């Protein structure tokens, strides 16, 4: 890998709108694995539109590669649209859960203060352990691990990233508009293909 | 989760049909008939037996061709699709039947061939239990299909089948696989008839054509001094041969073809300047790096065509016409992208281009061609040495068939020679495995090609290596009485690999010597007539006899052992570094 490539690489958030179909996750994953691209984070969930799922995929790549990947993703029959955005173009969050012995929390007021400072919220308190949750960027959730480690952190887990695109023209309206016109013999909603700049560099 | 919900596929309302109680397997056959399927290539087995059982009642409406290996079945379906322009249909059983389809699926995907493959699967309740002949066909075939789907309920079948055909043939065509569990084949349900599918919520087969890009493209072409068209199979898949010819003739543009585009414009057309790529013609390769506007139509800038990308057509403004948006800018940056079906885009472009002649520019191609004739072609087609060359065989074949035959090629030196020199008067006359380069393709593909175009002469040109990969399909020829002319060019080597070893590995001929059986005897065992030709004196009569023979015929021609295919763009070189020797 040339150093040039290395410099151009950055985190990209890929947002994919798909039909809810068995096997599609596999098809999308293959698009990355075939090119030996590591998926840093992957989240899939229903979207605001009935029957449509939304994938959130984070990879570290050059824009050129990400653009082509999105083209390949959109080729899948059940994919409606794939967008890509840099971190600056999205609002993103990850959620983390921390399990700590309850006695430590109870005994050491210090811990409680640290948790509060880190914006952690209690999810469960049991006699033997307590579970906290924080939500934020990677550094924020990472921070609390470091803080809790000396106090006997039992378990830690972090979710995949979810991201909302900052630009106001969401997919929702676009989809609703063209679904209103369906079923349709004419091909619709492909204008985006010809205004690459607008779509791809939101 | 219901997978094929009513809003996924919108169907055209048709008058209400009578509801019948049918099994999934019967509904499958009726759905195939509804899609006007007339031929199926296949091989039965336990997990697809209900389908075969249902087929038994419809043999007057649809012909099933029993192949000798599922790979043969799918290559035959590919040949069928390529010669006829229809969707090829394949049946195979679960497990090994299905996995034997993989090579053909990969081949069809990369060469955009419309196929619908139906595989049997174990009972739904056995899925994931490592049951007998169970393979995870959906996962295995995901990377090599345009779409695939597993049916576990009989009532899904009519809708899924309609969807499969629509996906296989629309937009950029490709292979689709439907895996049907045995219980779904057996299960009875209320069948209310078939409905055509012509819309899927998430699927946009054709991008909308944008006028402004057509205008920009026309402006570039009109201003160009050295415009050059390179075309691929997109012209054929879009059935736009006539539109393409009209466009070229009005604008006076020289045009060269990729291996899959061969035949879309007749070989002898005055604007056809030859073949592109690694073993393409000298002029089109060199002049790619001299033209000022490069107009790529329905081709995908495969690395065998471009050579080194960083030295490919850097001086040119590039116009790329393609139906698949992900092809634009994939390998070569375009100046003007023209998304759309070339059947629609080419005529729009024709309206806007000026009537022109580019005589001086065209002459440059001719000058290069003359150099190539002097250095390579003359000796290849009309050799003065003793040994028979592959080119001379193809040249004689051209004389005998007059360019009217369908030429199906396997993979290797003979493929390059046949594609370079075969005269093709008509479209859909060149059938070859382009993107995957699958040895063993030609014999089964030729069977399919003949079934798809029964009125035409089909000649399969095959190397001694590739023929031994699927020669069992002579059994299919025998049983189904298919008229295929088998032309084996035997150089006693895996020729193309030997050529590379000679040129790039100091002649270290590592395992490329390949022995052959007595092909004429083997063919005889399958009731196929034939003969072997070892000298020039009987070559022409042998070819004549093969073409004139009623029914299939095998002609084995012993050709020079160590002949090379030139010109050649060595791997990793620019197209202008093409070598004449
Ligand atoms: C299935 C498969 N295996 C291996 C190859 C690699 N390969 C490409 S050309 C070639 C040699 C072909 O030899 P032959 O069929 O005798 O044809 P010739 O080149 O001699 O005309 C080989 C082995 C291939 N293309 N396909």
């Amino acid at each position: 890998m040339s150093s040039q490539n290395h410099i151009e690489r950055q985190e990209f958030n890929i947002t994919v709108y798909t039909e809810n179909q068995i096997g599609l996750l596999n098809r999308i994953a293959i698009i990355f694995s075939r090119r030996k691209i590591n998926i840093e984070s992957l989240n899939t969930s229903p979207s605001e539109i009935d029957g449509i799922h939304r994938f959130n995929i984070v990879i570290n790549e050059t824009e050129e590669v990400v653009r082509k990947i999105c083209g390949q993703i959109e080729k899948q029959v059940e994919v409606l649209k794939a967008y890509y955005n840099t971190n600056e173009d999205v609002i993103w969050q990850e959620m983390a859960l921390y399990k700590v012995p309850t006695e430590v929390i109870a005994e050491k007021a210090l811990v409680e203060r640290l948790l509060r400072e880190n914006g952690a919220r209690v999810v469960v308190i049991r006699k033997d352990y307590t579970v906290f949750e924080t939500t934020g960027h990677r550094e924020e959730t990472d921070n609390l691990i470091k803080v809790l480690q000396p106090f006997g952190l039992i378990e830690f887990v972090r979710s995949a990233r979810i991201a909302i695109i900052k630009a106001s023209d969401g997919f929702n309206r676009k989809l609703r508009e063209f679904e209103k016109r369906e079923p349709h013999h004419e091909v619709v909603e492909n204008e985006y293909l010809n205004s690459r700049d607008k779509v791809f560099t939101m | 989760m219901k997978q094929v919900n009513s809003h996924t596929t919108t169907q055209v309302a048709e008058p209400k049909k009578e509801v019948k109680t049918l099994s999934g397997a019967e509904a499958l056959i009726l759905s195939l008939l509804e899609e006007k399927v007339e031929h199926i290539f296949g091989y039965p087995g336990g997990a697809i037996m209900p389908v075969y059982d249902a087929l038994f009642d419809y043999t007057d409406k649809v012909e099933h061709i029993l192949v000798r290996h599922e790979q043969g079945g799918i290559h035959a379906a590919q040949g069928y699709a390529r010669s006829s322009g229809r969707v090829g249909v394949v049946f195979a059983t679960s497990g090994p039947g299905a996995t034997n389809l993989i090579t053909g699926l990969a081949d069809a995907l990369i060469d955009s061939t419309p196929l619908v493959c139906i595989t049997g699967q174990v009972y739904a309740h056995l899925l994931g239990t490592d049951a007998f002949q169970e393979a995870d066909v959906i996962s295995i075939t995901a990377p090599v299909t345009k779409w695939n789907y597993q049916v576990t309920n009989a009532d899904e079948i009519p809708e899924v089948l309609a969807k499969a055909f629509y996906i296989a043939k629309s937009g950029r065509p490709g292979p689709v696989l439907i895996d049907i569990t045995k219980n779904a084949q057996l299960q009875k349900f209320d069948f209310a008839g078939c409905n055509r599918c012509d819309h899927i919520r998430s699927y946009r087969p054709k991008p909308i054509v944008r006028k402004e890009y057509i205008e920009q493209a026309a402006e570039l072409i009109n201003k160009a001094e050295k415009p050059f068209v390179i075309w691929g199979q997109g012209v054929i898949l879009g059935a736009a041969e006539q539109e393409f010819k009209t466009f070229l003739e009005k604008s006076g543009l020289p045009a060269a073809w990729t291996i899959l585009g061969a035949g879309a414009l007749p070989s002898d057309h005055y604007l056809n300047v030859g073949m592109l790529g690694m073993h393409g013609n000298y002029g089109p390769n060199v002049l790619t790096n001299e033209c000022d506007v490069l107009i790529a139509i329905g081709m995908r800038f495969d690395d065998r065509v471009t050579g080194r990308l960083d030295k490919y057509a850097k001086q040119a403004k590039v116009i790329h016409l393609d139906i698949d948006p992900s092809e634009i800018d994939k390998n070569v940056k375009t100046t003007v992208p023209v998304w759309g079906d070339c059947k629609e885009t080419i005529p729009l472009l024709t309206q806007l281009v000026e009537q022109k002649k580019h005589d001086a520019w065209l002459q440059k191609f001719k000058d290069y061609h003359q150099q190539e004739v002097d250095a390579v072609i003359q000796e290849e087609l009309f050799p003065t040495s003793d040994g028979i060359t592959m080119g001379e065989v193809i040249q004689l074949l051209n004389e005998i068939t007059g360019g009217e035959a369908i030429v199906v090629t396997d993979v290797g030196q003979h493929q390059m020679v046949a594609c370079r020199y075969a005269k093709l008067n008509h479209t859909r006359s060149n059938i070859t495995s382009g993107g995957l380069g699958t040895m063993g393709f030609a014999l089964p593909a030729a069977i399919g090609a003949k079934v798809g175009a029964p009125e035409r002469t089909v000649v399969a040109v095959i190397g001694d290596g590739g023929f031994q990969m699927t020669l069992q399909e002579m059994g299919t020829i025998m049983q189904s009485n298919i008229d295929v002319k088998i032309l084996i060019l035997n150089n006693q080597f895996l020729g193309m690999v030997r050529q590379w070893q000679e040129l790039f590995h100091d002649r270290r001929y590592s395992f490329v010597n390949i022995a052959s059986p007595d092909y004429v005897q083997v063919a005889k065992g399958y009731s196929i007539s034939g003969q072997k030709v070892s000298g020039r004196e009987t070559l022409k009569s042998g070819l004549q006899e093969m073409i004139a023979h009623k029914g299939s015929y095998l002609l084995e021609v012993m050709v020079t052992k160590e002949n090379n295919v030139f010109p050649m763009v060595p791997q990793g070189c620019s197209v202008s570094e093409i070598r004449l020797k």
Side-chain angles (χ1 to χ4, degrees), chain A residues 35-47:
Chain A
R35 293 165 179 78
K36 207 157 189 271
I37 293 171
N38 189 36
I39 293 179
E40 305 292 336
S41 166
L42 184 152
N43 180 76
T44 144
S45 68
S47 75

Side-chain angles (χ1 to χ4, degrees), chain B residues 499-507 568 570-571 579:
Chain B
Q499 174 167 347
W500 283 51
Q501 288 173 339
E502 178 187 331
L503 300 176
F504 312 118
H505 294 273
D506 300 327
R507 284 182 185 262
M568 179 176 194
Q571 180 113 323
R579 289 166 55 172

Side-chain angles (χ1 to χ4, degrees), chain B residues 200-242:
Chain B
I200 295 168
R201 184 180 194 181
S202 54
Y203 176 58
R204 305 281 172 269
K206 294 184 202 176
I208 279 181
V209 177
R210 300 277 297 226
K211 280 263 161 52
E212 61 267 39
Y213 284 118
I214 303 272
E215 283 159 11
Q216 287 172 25
E219 197 183 323
L220 276 184
I221 295 170
N222 289 338
K223 280 200 194 130
E225 308 212 326
K226 297 176 181 177
F228 178 30
V229 170
I230 56 180
W231 91 84
Q233 196 193 194
V235 174
I236 299 169
L237 292 172
E241 294 89 347
Q242 190 52 49

Side-chain angles (χ1 to χ4, degrees), chain B residues 390 411-414 437 439 463-466 469 491 493-497:
Chain B
M390 291 184 178
V411 173
Q413 291 184 314
H414 65 279
M439 282 172 74
D464 44 326
M469 284 203 174
N491 54 6
F493 271 119
L494 298 175
M496 187 56 96
V497 181

Side-chain angles (χ1 to χ4, degrees), chain B residues 383-562:
Chain B
T384 48
S385 56
D386 286 347
I388 298 176
T389 64
M390 291 184 178
E392 122 179 73
V393 181
I394 302 301
Q395 166 64 25
L396 284 171
L397 187 69
N398 287 340
E399 278 179 25
I400 294 163
T401 64
E404 292 294 311
I406 293 182
V407 180
V408 185
T409 52
D410 210 73
V411 173
Q413 291 184 314
H414 65 279
Q415 175 191 31
M416 291 300 125
V417 171
C419 288
R420 281 178 60 89
Y421 298 114
K423 189 173 155 185
L424 309 170
N425 295 345
H426 306 285
T427 188
R428 296 193 176 277
S429 296
N430 172 62
I431 296 174
T432 195
S433 166
L436 205 64
T438 304
M439 282 172 74
F441 174 82
L443 183 63
I447 293 172
K450 182 69 189 181
V451 176
E455 69 294 347
R456 298 192 62 189
T457 301
V458 174
V459 183
V461 182
I462 318 182
D464 44 326
F467 187 62
Q468 292 186 68
M469 284 203 174
T470 51
L471 62 73
Q472 78 283 353
E473 296 308 329
M474 286 196 291
T476 308
I477 291 178
M478 171 183 69
Q479 183 167 354
S480 293
N481 225 338
I482 294 162
D483 178 1
V484 170
K485 314 301 182 194
I486 305 165
L487 176 56
I488 300 176
L489 301 182
N490 187 348
N491 54 6
Q492 301 166 63
F493 271 119
L494 298 175
M496 187 56 96
V497 181
R498 189 211 54 75
Q499 174 167 347
W500 283 51
Q501 288 173 339
E502 178 187 331
L503 300 176
F504 312 118
H505 294 273
D506 300 327
R507 284 182 185 262
R508 285 155 56 88
Y509 289 170
S510 182
F511 301 100
V512 287
N513 243 305
I514 187 164
S516 284
D518 181 336
Y519 291 121
V520 177
Q521 279 299 325
V522 176
K524 204 171 160 198
Y526 285 107
S527 306
I528 296 171
S529 320
Q531 65 172 304
K532 175 172 174 170
V533 167
S534 306
R536 186 161 290 134
E537 57 296 345
T538 48
L539 177 60
K540 188 164 185 179
S541 61
L543 285 164
Q544 276 165 336
E545 199 169 331
M546 173 179 82
I547 298 297
H549 187 85
K550 280 223 177 323
S552 343
Y553 193 93
L554 181 145
L555 183 72
E556 178 188 8
V557 179
M558 302 306 290
V559 295
T560 328
K561 283 185 75 173
E562 294 180 74

